[in-house]
Amino acid sequence: MNAADDKTIVREYFNSTGFDRWRRIYGDGEVNKVQLDIRNGHQQTVDTVIDWLKADNNLPELSICDAGCGVGSLSIPLAVDGAKVYASDISEKMVEEGKDRAKQTLGNSENPTFAVQDLESLSGSYHTVICLDVLIHYPQEKADEMISHLCSLAQSRIILSFAPKTCALTILKKIGSFFPGPSKATRAYLHREADVVRILENNGFSVQRQAMTKTRFYFSRLLEATRQ
Ligand code: SAM
């Protein structure tokens, strides 16, 4: 399968069964145990990013690009805290849901702004570029290109999360219990941390803060890198 196929499959998935599944996981209604575990894990990743940004005490001065924003789980709280947020996603349905949720929380605010756009075609310049739990849908070579492009949009900082290629996860993936259930409709790619760090460094960034979220079914390595 080539990278273009991966992208088409991912787009279609997040506009159909994936939308229903992830909208529920990223919500607060009733879900099954596995989905609840993933919801809690993902929330930890989001909370870590918010904690990092808040610790710097300059959120209202920041322009933030949330690439692959999903239903706005990160974009909306960042906008509430005063950052100027540009949120985009390849899936029309996820973006519509994000807009609805932003309206419920923030009323008719123009912040965040939402757009249906794949991250490869994003342009502009932002203080901070964030991309959470998107790279898992792409093989390493494609992820390298995506990371390089995101770096080109970031004036100062990039924050990425990915599923780390560790022995335990590789085995889990082989036996098929990684991201169980209907989400198996898309492939889950694991990435070596050393590869991600190398791409960041090749683009002039160096890692400052890092975190790992690990629950039963959710694994996400989070890196913050700043421009040197
Ligand atoms: N970042 C969000 C979060 O953490 O709440 C959503 C994570 S969700 C697992 C992955 C999202 O990435 C989906 O909304 C999907 O539509 C989006 N996505 C996948 N490939 C993309 C691409 N090439 N460009 C932009 N968005 C993409």
Side-chain angles (χ1 to χ4, degrees), residues 120-146:
E120 298 88 326
S121 66
L122 289 175
S123 58
S125 180
Y126 308 86
H127 176 280
T128 297
V129 174
I130 305 179
C131 184
L132 296 188
D133 296 357
V134 177
L135 297 172
I136 187 165
H137 301 296
Y138 297 95
Q140 186 62 46
E141 209 176 297
K142 171 77 177 151
D144 287 357
E145 284 171 24
M146 294 167 99

Short mmCIF file of all heavy atoms in Angstrom, two decimals, residues 120-146:
data_model
loop_
_atom_site.label_atom_id
_atom_site.label_comp_id
_atom_site.label_asym_id
_atom_site.label_seq_id
_atom_site.Cartn_x
_atom_site.Cartn_y
_atom_site.Cartn_z
N GLU A 120 -0.52 18.21 5.12
CA GLU A 120 0.53 18.37 4.11
C GLU A 120 0.33 19.64 3.30
O GLU A 120 1.28 20.17 2.73
CB GLU A 120 0.54 17.17 3.15
CG GLU A 120 0.82 15.83 3.78
CD GLU A 120 -0.41 15.11 4.32
OE1 GLU A 120 -1.35 15.78 4.81
OE2 GLU A 120 -0.44 13.89 4.26
N SER A 121 -0.91 20.13 3.22
CA SER A 121 -1.15 21.32 2.40
C SER A 121 -1.31 22.59 3.26
O SER A 121 -1.69 23.63 2.75
CB SER A 121 -2.38 21.12 1.50
OG SER A 121 -3.53 21.02 2.30
N LEU A 122 -1.01 22.49 4.55
CA LEU A 122 -1.10 23.69 5.39
C LEU A 122 0.03 24.64 5.02
O LEU A 122 1.14 24.21 4.70
CB LEU A 122 -0.97 23.32 6.87
CG LEU A 122 -2.13 22.59 7.52
CD1 LEU A 122 -1.77 22.20 8.95
CD2 LEU A 122 -3.39 23.44 7.49
N SER A 123 -0.27 25.94 5.09
CA SER A 123 0.80 26.92 4.91
C SER A 123 0.69 27.94 6.04
O SER A 123 -0.18 27.83 6.89
CB SER A 123 0.67 27.59 3.54
OG SER A 123 -0.59 28.20 3.45
N GLY A 124 1.54 28.94 6.02
CA GLY A 124 1.50 29.95 7.07
C GLY A 124 2.59 29.72 8.08
O GLY A 124 3.47 28.86 7.91
N SER A 125 2.53 30.51 9.14
CA SER A 125 3.58 30.50 10.13
C SER A 125 2.95 30.69 11.51
O SER A 125 2.15 31.62 11.70
CB SER A 125 4.53 31.64 9.77
OG SER A 125 5.56 31.72 10.65
N TYR A 126 3.27 29.82 12.43
CA TYR A 126 2.64 29.82 13.75
C TYR A 126 3.74 29.72 14.81
O TYR A 126 4.75 29.04 14.58
CB TYR A 126 1.71 28.60 13.90
CG TYR A 126 0.73 28.48 12.76
CD1 TYR A 126 1.08 27.81 11.59
CD2 TYR A 126 -0.53 29.07 12.84
CE1 TYR A 126 0.21 27.72 10.52
CE2 TYR A 126 -1.42 29.00 11.77
CZ TYR A 126 -1.04 28.31 10.62
OH TYR A 126 -1.91 28.23 9.57
N HIS A 127 3.50 30.34 15.95
CA HIS A 127 4.50 30.22 17.01
C HIS A 127 4.73 28.73 17.34
O HIS A 127 5.86 28.26 17.40
CB HIS A 127 4.05 30.96 18.27
CG HIS A 127 4.99 30.79 19.41
ND1 HIS A 127 5.01 29.66 20.22
CD2 HIS A 127 6.02 31.58 19.86
CE1 HIS A 127 5.97 29.77 21.12
NE2 HIS A 127 6.60 30.92 20.92
N THR A 128 3.59 28.02 17.53
CA THR A 128 3.67 26.62 17.93
C THR A 128 2.80 25.76 17.02
O THR A 128 1.65 26.12 16.75
CB THR A 128 3.18 26.45 19.39
OG1 THR A 128 4.04 27.19 20.26
CG2 THR A 128 3.17 24.98 19.83
N VAL A 129 3.36 24.66 16.55
CA VAL A 129 2.59 23.70 15.74
C VAL A 129 2.43 22.43 16.56
O VAL A 129 3.42 21.92 17.11
CB VAL A 129 3.30 23.41 14.40
CG1 VAL A 129 2.58 22.31 13.63
CG2 VAL A 129 3.40 24.68 13.56
N ILE A 130 1.18 21.94 16.65
CA ILE A 130 0.92 20.75 17.46
C ILE A 130 0.22 19.70 16.59
O ILE A 130 -0.66 20.04 15.78
CB ILE A 130 0.01 21.10 18.67
CG1 ILE A 130 0.64 22.23 19.49
CG2 ILE A 130 -0.21 19.87 19.55
CD1 ILE A 130 -0.17 22.68 20.69
N CYS A 131 0.62 18.46 16.76
CA CYS A 131 0.01 17.38 15.98
C CYS A 131 -0.08 16.14 16.88
O CYS A 131 0.92 15.45 17.10
CB CYS A 131 0.88 17.12 14.74
SG CYS A 131 0.18 15.90 13.63
N LEU A 132 -1.27 15.91 17.40
CA LEU A 132 -1.45 14.83 18.37
C LEU A 132 -2.15 13.62 17.77
O LEU A 132 -3.24 13.74 17.19
CB LEU A 132 -2.29 15.31 19.57
CG LEU A 132 -1.72 16.41 20.46
CD1 LEU A 132 -2.60 16.60 21.69
CD2 LEU A 132 -0.28 16.15 20.85
N ASP A 133 -1.54 12.46 17.95
CA ASP A 133 -2.15 11.18 17.61
C ASP A 133 -2.60 11.09 16.15
O ASP A 133 -3.63 10.48 15.84
CB ASP A 133 -3.32 10.88 18.56
CG ASP A 133 -2.86 10.71 20.01
OD1 ASP A 133 -1.65 10.77 20.25
OD2 ASP A 133 -3.72 10.52 20.89
N VAL A 134 -1.84 11.68 15.26
CA VAL A 134 -2.13 11.63 13.81
C VAL A 134 -1.13 10.72 13.12
O VAL A 134 -1.49 9.92 12.26
CB VAL A 134 -2.08 13.05 13.18
CG1 VAL A 134 -2.32 12.97 11.68
CG2 VAL A 134 -3.09 13.98 13.85
N LEU A 135 0.14 10.79 13.55
CA LEU A 135 1.20 10.05 12.85
C LEU A 135 0.97 8.55 12.88
O LEU A 135 1.43 7.82 12.01
CB LEU A 135 2.58 10.40 13.46
CG LEU A 135 2.98 11.87 13.32
CD1 LEU A 135 4.25 12.14 14.12
CD2 LEU A 135 3.17 12.24 11.85
N ILE A 136 0.23 8.07 13.88
CA ILE A 136 -0.07 6.64 14.00
C ILE A 136 -0.73 6.08 12.73
O ILE A 136 -0.65 4.90 12.45
CB ILE A 136 -0.96 6.36 15.24
CG1 ILE A 136 -1.13 4.86 15.48
CG2 ILE A 136 -2.33 7.04 15.13
CD1 ILE A 136 -1.66 4.49 16.84
N HIS A 137 -1.34 6.96 11.94
CA HIS A 137 -2.03 6.51 10.73
C HIS A 137 -1.11 6.40 9.51
O HIS A 137 -1.57 6.04 8.43
CB HIS A 137 -3.19 7.47 10.40
CG HIS A 137 -4.19 7.56 11.52
ND1 HIS A 137 -4.93 6.49 11.92
CD2 HIS A 137 -4.53 8.59 12.33
CE1 HIS A 137 -5.71 6.86 12.93
NE2 HIS A 137 -5.48 8.13 13.20
N TYR A 138 0.18 6.74 9.68
CA TYR A 138 1.08 6.79 8.51
C TYR A 138 2.39 6.05 8.75
O TYR A 138 2.94 6.08 9.85
CB TYR A 138 1.37 8.27 8.17
CG TYR A 138 0.10 8.98 7.77
CD1 TYR A 138 -0.65 9.70 8.69
CD2 TYR A 138 -0.39 8.88 6.46
CE1 TYR A 138 -1.84 10.32 8.33
CE2 TYR A 138 -1.58 9.49 6.10
CZ TYR A 138 -2.30 10.21 7.03
OH TYR A 138 -3.47 10.80 6.66
N PRO A 139 2.91 5.42 7.68
CA PRO A 139 4.20 4.74 7.79
C PRO A 139 5.34 5.75 7.98
O PRO A 139 5.16 6.94 7.71
CB PRO A 139 4.33 4.00 6.46
CG PRO A 139 3.43 4.72 5.52
CD PRO A 139 2.33 5.32 6.34
N GLN A 140 6.49 5.25 8.42
CA GLN A 140 7.59 6.15 8.81
C GLN A 140 7.97 7.17 7.73
O GLN A 140 8.15 8.35 8.01
CB GLN A 140 8.83 5.32 9.20
CG GLN A 140 9.97 6.15 9.75
CD GLN A 140 9.59 6.89 11.03
OE1 GLN A 140 8.99 6.30 11.93
NE2 GLN A 140 9.89 8.18 11.12
N GLU A 141 8.10 6.68 6.50
CA GLU A 141 8.57 7.59 5.44
C GLU A 141 7.62 8.77 5.25
O GLU A 141 8.02 9.93 5.14
CB GLU A 141 8.67 6.80 4.13
CG GLU A 141 9.73 7.33 3.20
CD GLU A 141 9.82 6.44 1.98
OE1 GLU A 141 10.16 5.25 2.14
OE2 GLU A 141 9.49 6.94 0.90
N LYS A 142 6.34 8.45 5.26
CA LYS A 142 5.31 9.49 5.11
C LYS A 142 5.30 10.38 6.35
O LYS A 142 5.17 11.61 6.26
CB LYS A 142 3.95 8.78 4.91
CG LYS A 142 2.74 9.66 4.95
CD LYS A 142 2.55 10.45 3.69
CE LYS A 142 1.27 11.27 3.77
NZ LYS A 142 1.34 12.49 2.98
N ALA A 143 5.45 9.76 7.53
CA ALA A 143 5.48 10.54 8.77
C ALA A 143 6.66 11.51 8.76
O ALA A 143 6.54 12.66 9.20
CB ALA A 143 5.57 9.60 9.98
N ASP A 144 7.80 11.07 8.21
CA ASP A 144 8.98 11.95 8.10
C ASP A 144 8.64 13.21 7.31
O ASP A 144 8.97 14.32 7.71
CB ASP A 144 10.13 11.24 7.36
CG ASP A 144 10.78 10.17 8.22
OD1 ASP A 144 10.38 10.03 9.39
OD2 ASP A 144 11.66 9.47 7.70
N GLU A 145 7.97 13.01 6.18
CA GLU A 145 7.60 14.16 5.34
C GLU A 145 6.64 15.08 6.08
O GLU A 145 6.73 16.30 6.00
CB GLU A 145 6.87 13.68 4.07
CG GLU A 145 7.76 13.09 3.02
CD GLU A 145 6.93 12.44 1.91
OE1 GLU A 145 5.75 12.82 1.72
OE2 GLU A 145 7.46 11.53 1.25
N MET A 146 5.70 14.46 6.78
CA MET A 146 4.70 15.26 7.51
C MET A 146 5.38 16.08 8.60
O MET A 146 5.09 17.27 8.75
CB MET A 146 3.62 14.34 8.10
CG MET A 146 2.79 13.64 7.05
SD MET A 146 1.80 12.31 7.74
CE MET A 146 0.24 13.11 7.92
#
